[in-house]
Amino acid sequence: MKKHFLFLLTIAAITGIFKNSACAQEHDMAWYIKNAPFKMGDISEPVFPARTFDIKDYGAVGDGQTLNTVAIAKAIDACSAAGGGTVLIPAGDWLTGPIELKSNVNLHTEWGTLVLFSSDHSLFTMSGGRGKPQLYGEKLENVAVTGNGIFDGAGDTWRPLKQGKAAPTLWNELTKSGGVLNKNGDMWYPTKEASENDRLRPIEVSIASSKNVMIDGPTFKNSPNFAFNPKNITNLIIRNVKIENEYYAQNGDAIDLSSCKNAIVYHCTVHAGDDGICMKSSGTTEKGTAGLENIIIAENIVYHAHGGFVVGSNTDAGMNNIWVTNCNFVNTDIGIRIKSNKGRGGLVHNIYIDHVFMRDILNEAILFSSYYEDGGAGHTNPPETNDKTPFFQDFHLSDIYCNGAKTAISIIGLPDAQVNHLYFNNIKISAKKAVYITEASDIDLKNVTIISPDKNTYNLTNAKNINH
C-alpha cells in the first residue's frame, strides 16, 4: 500500500515538471554565439568559389555496384587544383572506398544521395593502429560536407556485438547467421577477420588538425566505430547533422569533439550505440590553455546513447568554456555524464549546462565520476595526484528537468581531488534514488526538487560545504 501511494504521489508530481519549468526558445546559431556565457572566438562559415565538379563527369556510376573511389578522388583533386568549389555527389547509390577531403572543397550531396562505403575491408586497411577513416582529411582549411545525403558506413560488417547489449532475439539471429564467437561465447564478430583485429575498425568521419570546417545537413549511419570525430579543429560548425547508429553498436559514439576550439554543435539529432555528444581532450597544450575550449552545444536531441551530453573519459589536456543549452535527452543510459579517472584526467572547468529536458534515463540523470572504469569509489586509487588527475570544478547547471531516472544526481570525486564548486539552480528530477555525493565540496543546490521514494534526499560521504 505504501509503495502504491508513493507511486501515485510521484506521478502526480511529475505532471507539474514541465508546467513550472523555465522554457527555452529556439534561436539561430548567431544568437548562441553572441549570448554565450563566455567570450567565444570567431565562428564563420567557409566560403567556396561558384564552381561545381560533378563526380559523374569523372566516371562515377550511381548504381550501387560500381566502385567509385577513383572517380570521387579525381573530382575532389580537380576542384582543389582549380582553387576550390563544390564537388557534387548527385542522387544515386554511390559505392566507394575511403574519401579524402581537400582544402577549399565543399563535398555536397543532394536529396536522394546514398554514399555506400564498401564492405571490402581491405580498402580501409592501414599498417598498425586503426583502419583508415571512411571520410577523412588532415591539415585542411576551408572545407565542408553539406547537403541532405546519407553516408552508410557498412558497420554491420565490421562491428562485434556483446551479448549483454543485445536483445535475445537479435543475439540468436546473428549467431545463427554465421560469424565467429570469442572463447567465452559472449562476443560475436561478423567475420573471422574482424575477430582477429578489431582495432582496424575505421571511424566513419574523421577530420583532423584543420581550420574553418563545416558539416551541415548529412546523415551518417551504421558506422564501424565512432560516427564523427573532429580532432584539433579551430572554427568548426556541425549543424543539422543526423547520426543513426543502432543501440547495440559497439563503440558507436555519435559526435566526439577531440581538442577542438571555437566550435558549435547545433540542431543535430542522434541515435548512438555509445556516447551521444561527447567532449574529449588529450595531448599537450601551452601552459595555461585548455585543449578543448569555447564550445556551444545547442538545440540537439539525443534519443539513445550511453550519455546525452558527455565529458571524457579523456580530459588530460583540459577543457574550458562549454555551454550546453536547449537540448533533449530521451532513453539514454545517463543524461549528463561527466567522467574521467587518474591517468586520463585534467582540469575541466567553466561548464554551463541549462535548459536540458530529459525522459526515461536508465541510470543517473546527472553523473560526475572520477573513477570511470576504475571500479567505483571503493577502488584503490592509481598513483599520486599529478597532471593527469581529473579535476571537475566550476560547473553551472540550471533549468534541468527529468521525468524518470534510476538516480537523480550522483557525484563521485577523489579523496585528493574532490569535485568542487558545482552550482545547481532550478532542477526537478523524478527518480527511484535521490542524490548521492561522495568526495566533493562547495556544492550549492538552489531550488532543487527531487521526487523519489528514497528515505534521504541527500546522501553524503566525505562531503563538505553542501548547501541545499
Side-chain angles (χ1 to χ4, degrees), residues 41-52:
D42 292 333
I43 297 182
S44 56
E45 298 183 16
V47 178
F48 303 94
R51 289 188 285 261
T52 299

Side-chain angles (χ1 to χ4, degrees), residues 410-423:
S410 178
I411 301 170
I412 306 171
L414 295 163
D416 52 343
Q418 291 191 332
V419 175
N420 67 91
H421 291 90
L422 307 185
Y423 304 93

Side-chain angles (χ1 to χ4, degrees), residues 381-456:
N381 288 333
E384 71 283 347
T385 302
N386 56 32
D387 60 356
K388 294 193 181 297
T389 297
F391 288 92
F392 298 130
Q393 63 189 54
D394 298 315
F395 278 68
H396 304 260
L397 301 96
S398 64
D399 297 294
I400 296 174
Y401 303 89
C402 178
N403 184 327
K406 181 178 180 181
T407 302
I409 301 172
S410 178
I411 301 170
I412 306 171
L414 295 163
D416 52 343
Q418 291 191 332
V419 175
N420 67 91
H421 291 90
L422 307 185
Y423 304 93
F424 295 83
N425 188 25
N426 294 336
I427 312 292
K428 201 168 203 177
I429 300 171
S430 63
K432 295 176 181 177
K433 300 177 69 176
V435 179
Y436 290 77
I437 302 177
T438 301
E439 299 294 355
S441 61
D442 300 297
I443 312 296
D444 187 39
L445 300 114
K446 181 180 179 182
N447 194 23
V448 173
T449 301
I450 306 299
I451 304 164
S452 172
D454 225 350
K455 181 178 180 181
N456 297 316

Side-chain angles (χ1 to χ4, degrees), residues 290-363:
L292 181 141
E293 64 181 353
N294 296 348
I295 310 295
I296 297 173
I297 313 295
E299 297 188 23
N300 302 290
I301 302 172
V302 180
Y303 281 115
H304 191 284
H306 286 188
F309 169 72
V310 182
V311 166
S313 59
N314 299 98
T315 63
D316 55 279
M319 300 184 187
N320 179 44
N321 291 350
I322 301 173
W323 184 26
V324 181
T325 183
N326 205 1
C327 293
N328 296 129
F329 306 146
V330 181
N331 292 324
T332 60
D333 291 357
I334 299 170
I336 297 165
R337 187 185 192 195
I338 314 301
K339 60 178 181 174
S340 193
N341 62 14
K342 283 190 173 181
R344 286 185 282 189
L347 175 61
V348 179
H349 65 143
N350 298 327
I351 313 300
Y352 303 83
I353 305 173
D354 64 74
H355 295 96
V356 173
F357 307 100
M358 300 182 280
R359 178 181 173 87
D360 292 339
I361 305 302
L362 182 63
N363 295 304

Side-chain angles (χ1 to χ4, degrees), residues 4-305:
H4 181 67
F5 172 76
L6 287 171
F7 174 76
L8 292 176
L9 181 64
T10 300
I11 293 299
I14 285 171
T15 60
I17 284 179
F18 292 102
K19 289 181 181 178
N20 298 323
S21 65
C23 295
Q25 294 181 336
E26 285 186 289
H27 299 286
D28 62 18
M29 199 173 68
W31 186 93
Y32 287 105
I33 294 170
K34 180 181 178 181
N35 289 278
F38 43 80
K39 183 175 174 54
M40 281 291 294
D42 292 333
I43 297 182
S44 56
E45 298 183 16
V47 178
F48 303 94
R51 289 188 285 261
T52 299
F53 299 77
D54 190 323
I55 63 170
K56 292 188 296 184
D57 296 335
Y58 296 85
V61 179
D63 59 4
Q65 311 299 320
T66 304
L67 190 66
N68 294 294
T69 314
V70 173
I72 295 172
K74 285 181 177 179
I76 291 173
D77 288 344
C79 179
S80 180
T86 296
V87 170
L88 175 64
I89 304 181
D93 283 0
W94 306 96
L95 182 66
T96 184
I99 298 173
E100 183 178 5
L101 297 168
K102 297 288 181 70
S103 293
N104 302 311
V105 171
N106 173 20
L107 185 67
H108 183 75
T109 56
E110 295 180 330
W111 184 267
T113 299
L114 179 56
V115 178
L116 305 170
F117 289 109
S118 175
S119 58
D120 180 354
H121 295 184
S122 66
L123 298 176
F124 304 92
T125 300
M126 296 173 64
S127 57
R130 296 192 185 277
K132 180 182 291 185
Q134 294 174 323
L135 177 60
Y136 71 101
E138 188 171 3
K139 297 180 180 178
L140 305 179
E141 191 162 351
N142 206 56
V143 65
V145 180
T146 62
N148 297 308
I150 299 171
F151 293 81
D152 188 318
D156 49 329
T157 71
W158 291 87
R159 293 188 309 266
L161 177 64
K162 291 180 180 178
Q163 186 175 13
K165 291 190 68 172
T169 52
L170 174 63
W171 179 257
N172 292 335
E173 179 183 332
L174 288 178
T175 54
K176 288 179 181 178
S177 69
V180 177
L181 288 173
N182 66 354
K183 291 181 180 180
N184 295 329
D186 58 1
M187 179 80 84
W188 174 86
Y189 295 87
T191 63
K192 186 174 185 296
E193 175 195 29
S195 70
E196 291 173 345
N197 201 338
D198 184 56
R199 285 189 58 81
L200 286 178
R201 280 189 292 138
I203 294 171
E204 186 167 9
V205 185
S206 179
I207 302 173
S209 303
S210 299
K211 296 180 180 179
N212 304 332
V213 176
M214 181 173 71
I215 312 296
D216 188 1
T219 295
F220 302 113
K221 71 182 299 289
N222 195 16
S223 63
N225 208 308
F226 300 166
F228 181 27
N229 184 203
K231 303 178 183 178
N232 298 300
I233 295 179
T234 300
N235 188 13
L236 170 65
I237 296 171
I238 303 171
R239 183 173 61 196
N240 304 319
V241 170
K242 296 181 180 65
I243 307 292
E244 295 285 348
N245 274 338
E246 299 290 352
Y247 74 92
Y248 53 80
Q250 183 72 17
N251 306 116
D253 294 40
I255 300 173
D256 286 353
L257 268 63
S258 297
S259 298
C260 294
K261 298 185 178 183
N262 303 338
I264 184 166
V265 181
Y266 174 74
H267 262 176
C268 296
T269 304
V270 165
H271 294 81
D274 208 303
D275 288 332
I277 300 174
C278 182
M279 307 293 105
K280 298 180 181 292
S281 179
S282 294
T284 58
T285 61
E286 295 181 13
K287 188 175 181 179
T289 65
L292 181 141
E293 64 181 353
N294 296 348
I295 310 295
I296 297 173
I297 313 295
E299 297 188 23
N300 302 290
I301 302 172
V302 180
Y303 281 115
H304 191 284

